Amino acid sequence: METLEEEEVYEWREVKLASLIPVVSEPELERETGERRRGRDILIAIDHGPNSKHAFDWAILHFCRLADTIHLVHAVSSVQNQIVYDTSRVLMEKLAVEAFQVAMVKTVARIVEGDAGKAICKEAERLKPVALIMGTRGRSLIKSVLQGSVSEHCFHNCKSAPVIIVPGKEAGEESVI
């Protein structure tokens, strides 16, 4: 007897970002190879917390290049809730403008429904990015095992991209002697 695996429903809403961001032309031909310079797809998991913003800032300053595309993903319990959607859209618009001002990268945003860890891993499978960048709450090992951790789930279950977990500011401040 064979068990049947039930496929979960995967719902999402694309976020229309503000037209404040100017359209950037395609990169010019590189002299050495004669091929168009291709940008990378980088997936950044965000929420409304300060550690998520810190991970976003780190990615923009230390990881992104000019031709890259940042894919912002935010997991919510229901994509049909208009208040949650509007709040998330405002956050993503603000981050998209900041990403363009700092690193001149294109931004695409998507709000996904479901368990945060599973939804982020599904987005990574869909996009096949060069990296999945996310923040952490900075819990101890015991607390993260007992209470669960989205970053730990993604680290162990996301096979389609390397996961970069950026520790919060507090973790960096404590390590300085």
Side-chain angles (χ1 to χ4, degrees):
M1 183 171 203
E2 195 172 313
T3 58
L4 295 174
E5 289 186 24
E6 192 173 314
E7 194 65 30
E8 290 182 29
V9 177
Y10 181 60
E11 293 191 32
W12 53 272
R13 279 177 80 176
E14 204 74 35
V15 177
K16 302 239 188 250
L17 296 174
S19 59
L20 303 170
I21 304 168
V23 177
V24 180
S25 61
E26 290 294 318
E28 296 295 320
L29 293 176
E30 288 200 17
R31 296 177 193 258
E32 295 82 23
T33 63
E35 296 178 4
R36 282 202 180 270
R37 227 174 72 209
R38 288 192 40 157
R40 306 171 299 169
D41 289 320
I42 301 167
L43 182 62
I44 303 177
I46 62 163
D47 60 16
H48 296 281
N51 291 335
S52 175
K53 175 69 168 100
H54 177 67
F56 173 82
D57 292 340
W58 180 88
I60 294 297
L61 290 174
H62 300 290
F63 198 78
C64 292
R65 298 188 292 215
L66 186 62
D68 291 345
T69 300
I70 293 176
H71 296 268
L72 300 176
V73 64
H74 179 59
V76 296
S77 58
S78 172
V79 292
Q80 303 307 322
N81 187 334
Q82 194 61 37
I83 295 170
V84 171
Y85 175 79
D86 290 340
T87 306
S88 299
R89 181 184 49 78
V90 168
L91 172 68
M92 291 180 169
E93 285 177 352
K94 186 182 101 178
L95 294 176
V97 169
E98 183 179 337
F100 184 79
Q101 289 174 340
V102 173
M104 293 188 67
V105 294
K106 179 182 171 189
T107 304
V108 177
R110 182 176 270 201
I111 299 172
V112 294
E113 182 177 296
D115 178 57
K118 291 178 183 176
I120 292 168
C121 288
K122 280 189 179 184
E123 266 307 290
E125 287 175 24
R126 183 183 72 81
L127 285 171
K128 307 277 192 259
V130 294
L132 164 58
I133 301 173
M134 59 193 327
T136 182
R137 289 187 182 155
R139 293 179 180 162
S140 68
L141 177 63
I142 295 170
K143 280 186 181 178
S144 66
V145 168
L146 293 175
Q147 295 175 342
S149 168
V150 174
S151 57
E152 284 289 321
H153 176 82
C154 290
F155 183 75
H156 293 293
N157 296 309
C158 185
K159 305 297 181 203
S160 56
V163 178
I164 300 172
I165 300 172
V166 180
K169 291 183 197 177
E170 301 85 28
E173 291 170 357
E174 289 176 3
S175 63
V176 176
I177 297 176

